[in-house]
Amino acid sequence: MAFKPGVHTPTIFIVLGATGDLMARKVLPALFNLFETGRLPARFQVVGFSRRELTTAAFQKYVEDILLTHKDIRPKRTARKKFIKAIQYVQGNFDGERDYERLAKKLAEIDKQWGICSSKLFHLAVPPHLYETILKQLARSGLTKGCGPDGGWMKVIVEKPFGKNFETAEKLDTLLGTLFREGQIYRIDHYLGKAMIHNILAFRFSNKLFEEGWDRDSIEQIRIRLLENLGVKDRGAFYDGIGALRDVGQNHMLQMLALTTMDPPQEFSAAGIRRKRYELLSTLRPFTRAAIRAQTSRGQYQGYSKIKGVAAGSKTETFFKINLELDAPRWRGVPITLTSGKSMGRNEKDITIVFKHPTPCLCPARSPHTFRNEVVFEIEPEESIRIRFWAKKPGLTMELEEREFYLPYHEKRVSRVEEYAKLLYDCIAGDQTLFVSTGEVQAMWRFIDPIVRAWQKNLVPLAYYKSGQPPKL
Ligand code: BG6
């Protein structure tokens, strides 16, 4: 990660929901990772805001315990102690007007101490039903206005799920839009923080060899898979109201599709890339009822309905498969499949591009019938790129065999902590490339909504499968 100009600006990182699960699992380890690798501004403070009655000293202890017990980090003592000194706490209720005033006072104190109007980054690390209350309170207390001549450098980070459907996403965006400009809103989709996902654009647009034939004339089909070994575990209450399609399809998988199929941006800037992702996602046409019946399928693993928090007899899908096409001149007619499921018995997350082979085939007599090439962007179990091609078998006869160029992306896999750290780093630096724009969110919901509604009406039967044995749909 090269330094970007914005990362030198004195910054206060305010976490709303500072004693919650997201803070402990992702935000703190990622901030610590940036700190210990020298990638935070020299003047940097974290201010936690939460309901729990804690003093700053008690909160610092709480943070230290999290750092010491988190499975993916090994904090050294000196770094840990230094990091903890940069952390403060304000106790408050999310709907408590006075509490936000105290928060504002705390931020003003830090600015006064630094003698500067610092950047403020508000991270909404809370369940989505609290967003509205928090945003309104932030606005009421003047916290979203900033202190500099042009309103300061304020930003807000919002986690997925971004709405439950088009309507709720739009409502949330309207509210955000009254308080912040689009350039200040950072909507996180953690898949965009994955190293292999960034690599798709680099691979495509820097290698003419592939980009030349990256279209309907040369590509026969595209398959995107997000198969997970784990089941829903202890997330029943959250998951049951959402289902697999909204949990990973509406966001991660459509973003994977956008990066794989978008047109080259005019320039490699955040605005250019986001624009092209958006344009591509806008070529997804909402399905008719007939298309939903014919092109989508869904399943649920046996035992799911017994999980704590899941409604008895729940019809929520834990598996889905969707066959779609893009309504774009470059892609019209190319079948695209999205497949995802929980409890699949393995982790397989990848994008496979299958290239056409001319027919009739000019192939030697003793050879397989098809000579398709494939490019695979593999995210799990390995992070790699695989290119499948055909070559002559060593020996005296002209016989072909399939071989593979295998490019492991790293010597050591980038950890989840670093993936999330990359997103926070870009947010601090003011680079929105890896964050989802309002247009993208809307385009994704426009496509997903009719399918969710049809499934809720049971238009497509739910297939039950045994854990570890994906349904053959
Ligand atoms: C999350 C979903 O957004 O993505 C989870 O809520 C899912 O259900 C996860 O398991 C998958 O992400 P990753 O990084 O483990 O592939």
Side-chain angles (χ1 to χ4, degrees), residues 38 81 84 95 104 119 144 181 185 238 266 329 344 349 393 408 421 426 469:
K81 294 288 175 200
I84 281 162
D95 57 358
S119 299
T144 49
R181 280 174 282 112
I185 306 169
F238 159 78
Q266 266 158 4
M344 296 275 106
K349 305 174 184 177
K393 262 190 190 174
D426 280 4
Q469 294 179 15

Side-chain angles (χ1 to χ4, degrees), residues 42-325:
R43 284 182 180 169
F44 187 81
Q45 285 273 312
V46 177
V47 175
F49 181 88
S50 238
R51 282 177 288 220
R52 210 184 289 180
E53 294 275 357
L54 292 174
T55 59
T56 283
F59 183 64
Q60 289 176 338
K61 168 83 179 52
Y62 168 85
V63 168
E64 187 165 20
D65 288 347
I66 287 171
L67 295 181
L68 285 169
T69 50
H70 196 283
K71 65 177 181 16
D72 294 331
I73 49 174
R74 303 274 165 278
K76 295 217 176 78
R77 190 169 190 280
T78 325
R80 196 176 78 223
K81 294 288 175 200
K82 263 196 185 166
F83 177 70
I84 281 162
K85 275 202 190 140
I87 293 185
Q88 308 202 36
Y89 188 70
V90 174
Q91 188 276 330
N93 287 321
F94 294 125
D95 57 358
E97 293 187 5
R98 286 272 165 82
D99 300 335
Y100 287 84
E101 282 158 20
R102 283 189 301 110
L103 176 62
K105 214 166 132 212
K106 170 67 74 189
L107 305 187
E109 267 168 38
I110 301 173
D111 275 2
K112 194 161 166 221
Q113 211 179 318
W114 286 346
I116 195 168
C117 168
S118 66
S119 299
K120 316 276 182 320
L121 213 157
F122 295 94
H123 192 144
L124 304 193
V126 292
H129 70 268
L130 291 168
Y131 287 174
E132 190 173 338
T133 310
I134 292 178
L135 289 169
K136 284 188 173 155
Q137 288 295 345
L138 286 177
R140 204 202 51 79
S141 57
L143 273 165
T144 49
K145 288 216 192 78
C147 47
D150 59 352
W153 190 72
M154 318 291 290
K155 293 174 194 171
V156 63
I157 302 184
V158 192
E159 292 281 340
K160 102 170 227 299
F162 199 80
K164 277 188 103 174
N165 50 29
F166 183 87
E167 201 186 317
T168 49
E170 204 184 25
K171 196 169 155 222
L172 175 57
D173 252 350
T174 308
L175 177 63
L176 281 166
T178 57
L179 308 175
F180 300 96
R181 280 174 282 112
E182 178 65 12
Q184 297 173 290
I185 306 169
Y186 289 72
R187 299 176 193 82
I188 286 194
D189 177 330
H190 81 277
Y191 260 61
L192 293 178
K194 289 187 186 288
M196 182 45 75
I197 301 275
H198 305 170
N199 198 18
I200 297 174
L201 292 190
F203 179 87
R204 284 187 52 199
F205 299 136
S206 322
N207 297 299
K208 195 160 182 254
L209 174 65
F210 297 101
E211 190 57 16
E212 285 269 289
W214 209 260
D215 56 24
R216 62 194 299 256
D217 294 334
S218 307
I219 290 179
E220 187 172 286
Q221 57 164 294
I222 298 175
R223 299 191 297 262
I224 301 182
R225 302 188 309 161
L226 200 162
L227 307 186
E228 297 186 275
N229 188 20
L230 281 182
V232 172
K233 286 180 77 189
D234 51 0
R235 297 166 73 218
F238 159 78
Y239 195 89
D240 205 39
I242 298 280
L245 182 56
R246 285 190 281 187
D247 186 38
V248 298
Q250 183 269 346
N251 33 67
H252 310 327
M253 296 184 81
L254 290 185
Q255 285 294 335
M256 286 156 94
L257 173 63
L259 293 169
T260 307
T261 52
M262 68 184 232
D263 283 341
Q266 266 158 4
E267 50 172 10
F268 237 73
S269 65
I273 293 173
R274 277 157 55 111
R275 175 93 217 149
K276 290 298 169 191
R277 286 201 312 247
Y278 161 71
E279 283 174 11
L280 186 284
L281 291 166
S282 305
T283 69
L284 284 163
R285 297 284 165 253
F287 281 175
T288 58
R289 285 165 71 87
I292 294 173
R293 274 206 190 89
Q295 291 167 230
T296 75
S297 42
R298 60 189 187 125
Q300 186 189 86
Y301 64 86
Q302 288 169 9
Y304 167 77
S305 62
K306 301 220 172 64
I307 294 173
K308 191 166 163 244
V310 172
S314 164
K315 292 268 187 275
T316 297
E317 81 287 354
T318 58
F319 170 93
F320 68 85
K321 185 166 172 189
I322 295 180
N323 296 318
L324 61 94
E325 275 181 23

Side-chain angles (χ1 to χ4, degrees), residues 196 347-350 376-386 406-411 413:
M196 182 45 75
N347 275 336
E348 285 178 1
K349 305 174 184 177
D350 47 36
V376 182
F377 298 106
E378 185 186 13
I379 297 147
E380 281 193 40
E382 312 276 325
E383 269 192 313
S384 73
I385 297 180
R386 295 169 189 273
Y406 171 58
L407 174 76
Y409 191 52
H410 300 280
E411 279 177 15
R413 195 189 168 84

